[in-house]
Amino acid sequence: MSGDYISYSETNYFSNLILDYLNQKKEVTPFYNRFPSAENFEAQIAEKRSFFETSGNDVRKTLVEVLKRQYSGINSSEATQKNIDLLALDNTFTITTGHQLNLFTGPLYFLYKIVSAVNLAKELQEKYPGNNFVPVYWMATEDHDFEEISFFNLHGKKFNWNPPASDYDGGAVGELPTEGLQDILDLFSAETGNSQNAKQLQDWFEKAYLEHDNLADATRYLANRLFEKYGLVILDANNRELKKFFVPYMKEELLEKSSFQKVTPTAEALEKAGYDIQVNPREINLFYMEKGLRERIIEKDGKYFVHDQNISWSKEELLDLLNNESEKFSPNVLLRPLYQEVILPNLCYIGGGGELAYWLELKDYFDRSKVPFPILLLRNSVLLQTQKQDLKRQKLGISLPELFLKPHELINRKVRKISNIDIDFSIQKDHLVQQFQEMYELAEKTDKSFLGAVKAQEVKQLKGLENLEKRLLKAQKRKLEDEVSRITSLQAELFPNGGLQERHHNFSEFYLEYGEDLIPMLIENLKPLELKFDILSV
């Protein structure tokens, strides 16, 4: 196997905000605490240790107890059990990534997120041996957008889960019963065949989804089987005992709209700096949650309501419910990061570009809440290609950055390059503009009313040259049809539906080929702090 890389900017798939963050542009520095370098973790460790010294002992004890209960139904590795026990110690810290409960892990980058966390924990363990570092996968069990997680793609086919109606429709997806998945397994088995790797995938699917009652337990089983040898700890934070530690922050949110007060100016500042806003805060960024229901809480004239529901409270009733049944309150996308950092001794959050974009809105809110803001790290991104595909790219004379161009841009560039005639009329256009400049000067001296006519003629003739250039290019494409076809075919293989492979393919597509070598190969080659887009030829 061989590896190469390009910069994130060369991929043309990442926002200006993320690129400027990676380049440590001064416009972005107000929106984060520390940049992700190995040296900066020393100060982050000290800050997080100080925060946990006040209330951390109770949090750590409860966290370990909750995790042991959540793992009681599955066979976890010695490495994972050890890491759970280590979380009770005040010199243990976490490296966290999170993801939705996508069916059969969903897109390929699910693996890359966790590999990034595993590898960063390992790297920090070597650099700071006096501490312990535990990789954590935070399951987004409280999300309620079922449509986003109900499918995965394999061999160009979409495997879609359509469960029977249940009492959990519209509620937290982690509680969704795993009904209706035998049909998916049957289709999946027919598609993957009878190879040893296929049978392993089918066994994982069956044990995860047919032998567990809900989506949270099924996802925990599957993620554990994939990463248990690396000591990954999987947390479902939809837990009453853990949410008790978050009650003071939720109370402030309900009474003072604290996140709205701090995130709104930050979002405006980001927008003023020229960046797109990922998430706009609501006045209250909490949901009310019960069986089959997760809806936002609204305050009006001193009373509190659940959106689109016949549920309401006075302020006193709501605070009493919060104190006694904290599990009925669910943080949204802007409050979840704070909840995570309150209950975990966390140093770093690893996410995709969209995730980091909304984290960058939260720095001032964390400061107000007196909670350390974690280091933000862009997860590893990877393009996996076969040696044969890489050889085809080289024979076509396509550089790695060119491979990431839009298809029409790449084809036009390569057709111009390999054509035996020059289809670039830039010189002719420049010459034409120069000729018309002389005509402008003549009209200026004789009759200025002719300036408009001269301009119209210039535009017409330039347009004619452009059309001629396009027609010649089109003719050359026909003449070089075989070359164009091979370029198009290669890009279609590596960029499904014109997008990044990691956002479309499921890991099973590559496990069928590489089996148990797939994850160790990623562990060996991905370096999270190097901040580059990897291209691996396997």
Side-chain angles (χ1 to χ4, degrees), residues 243-296:
K243 285 187 176 179
K244 284 182 179 179
F245 294 104
F246 197 53
V247 165
Y249 304 92
M250 292 193 284
K251 180 179 178 181
E252 186 176 292
E253 177 71 9
L254 291 167
L255 299 184
E256 301 181 29
K257 303 178 176 65
S258 52
S259 62
F260 180 78
Q261 298 297 332
K262 298 305 290 186
V263 175
T264 300
T266 303
E268 291 172 352
L270 280 164
E271 203 163 31
K272 187 176 180 180
Y275 302 115
D276 294 332
I277 301 306
Q278 188 72 16
V279 179
N280 286 304
R282 300 184 183 277
E283 288 195 345
I284 295 176
N285 291 283
L286 280 171
F287 289 90
Y288 175 74
M289 189 168 66
E290 58 184 39
K291 185 177 181 181
L293 174 68
R294 186 175 183 256
E295 272 290 353
R296 55 193 177 93

Side-chain angles (χ1 to χ4, degrees), residues 364-407:
D364 285 351
Y365 175 48
F366 268 72
D367 290 345
R368 170 185 171 140
S369 303
K370 295 182 171 57
V371 177
F373 194 67
I375 290 175
L376 302 178
L377 179 62
L378 185 65
R379 64 166 173 81
N380 282 111
S381 281
V382 185
L383 174 66
L384 292 173
Q385 61 178 355
T386 64
Q387 298 282 358
K388 184 178 180 181
Q389 287 169 329
D390 190 41
L391 185 61
K392 184 189 295 186
R393 174 189 66 79
Q394 294 177 45
K395 285 183 176 180
L396 288 168
I398 301 173
S399 69
L400 288 175
E402 284 179 330
L403 193 60
F404 286 76
L405 292 173
K406 299 298 181 187

Side-chain angles (χ1 to χ4, degrees), residues 1-4 385-403 410 414 417-418 483 486-487 490-491 493-494 535-538:
M1 139 174 237
S2 60
D4 215 323
Q385 61 178 355
T386 64
Q387 298 282 358
K388 184 178 180 181
Q389 287 169 329
D390 190 41
L391 185 61
K392 184 189 295 186
R393 174 189 66 79
Q394 294 177 45
K395 285 183 176 180
L396 288 168
I398 301 173
S399 69
L400 288 175
E402 284 179 330
L403 193 60
L410 175 59
K414 302 316 290 183
K417 186 175 181 180
I418 63 180
E483 200 86 10
R486 287 191 287 152
I487 292 171
L490 178 62
Q491 271 206 321
E493 290 173 10
L494 296 176
I535 296 136
L536 302 181
S537 301
V538 289

Side-chain angles (χ1 to χ4, degrees), residues 226-485:
L226 290 172
F227 288 100
E228 61 181 336
K229 68 183 289 187
Y230 302 103
L232 180 69
V233 172
I234 303 159
L235 175 63
D236 179 359
N238 183 14
N239 178 273
R240 180 177 185 175
E241 295 167 65
L242 291 176
K243 285 187 176 179
K244 284 182 179 179
F245 294 104
F246 197 53
V247 165
Y249 304 92
M250 292 193 284
K251 180 179 178 181
E252 186 176 292
E253 177 71 9
L254 291 167
L255 299 184
E256 301 181 29
K257 303 178 176 65
S258 52
S259 62
F260 180 78
Q261 298 297 332
K262 298 305 290 186
V263 175
T264 300
T266 303
E268 291 172 352
L270 280 164
E271 203 163 31
K272 187 176 180 180
Y275 302 115
D276 294 332
I277 301 306
Q278 188 72 16
V279 179
N280 286 304
R282 300 184 183 277
E283 288 195 345
I284 295 176
N285 291 283
L286 280 171
F287 289 90
Y288 175 74
M289 189 168 66
E290 58 184 39
K291 185 177 181 181
L293 174 68
R294 186 175 183 256
E295 272 290 353
R296 55 193 177 93
I297 298 172
I298 302 168
E299 185 269 334
K300 186 177 180 181
D301 299 328
K303 252 184 112 60
Y304 293 83
F305 305 85
V306 178
H307 178 64
D308 270 354
Q309 302 292 319
N310 189 26
I311 302 174
S312 63
W313 311 272
S314 67
K315 180 175 76 173
E316 292 74 18
E317 290 169 338
L318 184 64
L319 294 180
D320 185 62
L321 183 68
L322 177 64
N323 287 322
N324 292 297
E325 298 180 75
S326 57
E327 71 277 9
K328 291 188 174 181
F329 294 80
S330 176
N332 78 349
V333 66
L334 284 178
L335 235 60
R336 187 207 65 78
L338 187 71
Y339 177 40
Q340 170 190 295
E341 296 302 312
V342 166
I343 65 169
L344 288 180
N346 194 50
L347 303 175
C348 176
Y349 183 75
I350 298 174
E355 289 176 280
L356 296 201
Y358 71 72
W359 273 87
L360 289 168
E361 297 180 41
L362 300 176
K363 174 65 166 53
D364 285 351
Y365 175 48
F366 268 72
D367 290 345
R368 170 185 171 140
S369 303
K370 295 182 171 57
V371 177
F373 194 67
I375 290 175
L376 302 178
L377 179 62
L378 185 65
R379 64 166 173 81
N380 282 111
S381 281
V382 185
L383 174 66
L384 292 173
Q385 61 178 355
T386 64
Q387 298 282 358
K388 184 178 180 181
Q389 287 169 329
D390 190 41
L391 185 61
K392 184 189 295 186
R393 174 189 66 79
Q394 294 177 45
K395 285 183 176 180
L396 288 168
I398 301 173
S399 69
L400 288 175
E402 284 179 330
L403 193 60
F404 286 76
L405 292 173
K406 299 298 181 187
H408 70 278
E409 294 176 355
L410 175 59
I411 290 169
N412 287 348
R413 179 180 294 193
K414 302 316 290 183
V415 166
R416 282 192 171 96
K417 186 175 181 180
I418 63 180
S419 175
N420 56 5
I421 61 172
D422 189 0
I423 318 179
D424 185 355
F425 285 2
S426 298
I427 295 175
Q428 289 82 354
K429 290 175 188 175
D430 290 342
H431 183 62
L432 187 65
V433 169
Q434 187 176 357
Q435 286 184 316
F436 271 93
Q437 184 60 39
E438 295 173 2
M439 296 182 69
Y440 282 125
E441 292 172 0
L442 182 61
E444 186 77 32
K445 292 175 181 178
T446 55
D447 189 342
K448 292 184 178 181
S449 66
F450 279 93
L451 288 171
V454 173
K455 180 64 177 176
Q457 192 62 225
E458 179 187 23
V459 170
K460 181 179 179 181
Q461 293 195 32
L462 283 171
K463 188 69 175 176
L465 275 177
E466 289 174 359
N467 288 336
L468 183 58
E469 185 179 26
K470 289 178 181 177
R471 289 177 64 185
L472 283 172
L473 186 62
K474 190 174 181 179
Q476 275 300 95
K477 286 180 183 177
R478 288 195 299 269
K479 189 175 178 181
L480 302 168
E481 187 175 352
D482 179 61
E483 200 86 10
V484 169
S485 176

Side-chain angles (χ1 to χ4, degrees), residues 32-278:
Y32 63 91
N33 190 15
R34 296 182 180 89
F35 191 74
S37 67
E39 293 72 24
N40 281 345
F41 277 91
E42 183 174 5
Q44 193 73 25
I45 290 168
E47 187 177 12
K48 194 69 179 190
R49 187 195 298 269
S50 177
F51 173 75
F52 256 65
E53 280 176 354
T54 55
S55 60
N57 288 337
D58 289 340
V59 176
R60 286 181 181 276
K61 179 182 177 183
T62 302
L63 178 63
V64 170
E65 291 172 350
V66 168
L67 283 167
K68 287 189 173 181
R69 283 201 301 273
Q70 291 183 354
Y71 270 86
S72 62
I74 61 176
N75 292 321
S76 56
S77 68
E78 184 178 337
T80 294
Q81 294 170 16
K82 178 184 176 182
N83 277 345
I84 292 174
D85 289 334
L86 285 173
L87 287 169
L89 306 179
D90 62 6
N91 66 337
T92 297
F93 302 94
T94 61
I95 304 299
T96 302
T97 191
H99 196 62
Q100 296 170 300
L101 307 189
N102 293 75
L103 183 62
F104 212 50
T105 77
L108 187 58
Y109 66 76
F110 171 86
L111 296 190
Y112 304 156
K113 280 185 167 184
I114 296 177
V115 169
S116 297
V118 167
N119 280 350
L120 180 56
K122 181 181 178 182
E123 185 173 346
L124 293 176
Q125 192 66 64
E126 294 172 356
K127 186 169 181 62
Y128 302 102
N131 298 286
N132 308 302
F133 302 92
V134 175
V136 170
Y137 161 43
W138 177 292
M139 294 196 297
T141 57
E142 296 181 48
D143 283 0
H144 59 270
D145 195 338
F146 177 73
E147 295 302 318
E148 287 188 1
I149 67 166
S150 61
F151 66 93
F152 65 94
N153 299 300
L154 172 63
H155 297 157
K157 300 175 183 178
K158 187 174 183 178
F159 291 76
N160 206 79
W161 178 23
N162 297 301
S166 76
D167 292 336
Y168 290 92
D169 288 351
V173 294
E175 298 176 344
L176 189 68
T178 51
E179 298 177 50
L181 282 164
Q182 179 65 58
D183 292 342
I184 297 291
L185 175 58
D186 293 342
L187 293 171
F188 181 65
S189 299
E191 179 66 30
T192 52
N194 296 312
S195 69
Q196 182 178 345
N197 292 339
K199 289 178 180 178
Q200 177 64 82
L201 288 167
Q202 294 157 19
D203 180 67
W204 282 340
F205 192 103
E206 180 176 2
K207 284 185 167 60
Y209 296 104
L210 304 187
E211 298 181 12
H212 291 88
D213 295 331
N214 60 60
L215 195 54
D217 290 345
T219 304
R220 182 188 295 108
Y221 171 85
L222 181 57
N224 178 69
R225 289 304 305 269
L226 290 172
F227 288 100
E228 61 181 336
K229 68 183 289 187
Y230 302 103
L232 180 69
V233 172
I234 303 159
L235 175 63
D236 179 359
N238 183 14
N239 178 273
R240 180 177 185 175
E241 295 167 65
L242 291 176
K243 285 187 176 179
K244 284 182 179 179
F245 294 104
F246 197 53
V247 165
Y249 304 92
M250 292 193 284
K251 180 179 178 181
E252 186 176 292
E253 177 71 9
L254 291 167
L255 299 184
E256 301 181 29
K257 303 178 176 65
S258 52
S259 62
F260 180 78
Q261 298 297 332
K262 298 305 290 186
V263 175
T264 300
T266 303
E268 291 172 352
L270 280 164
E271 203 163 31
K272 187 176 180 180
Y275 302 115
D276 294 332
I277 301 306
Q278 188 72 16

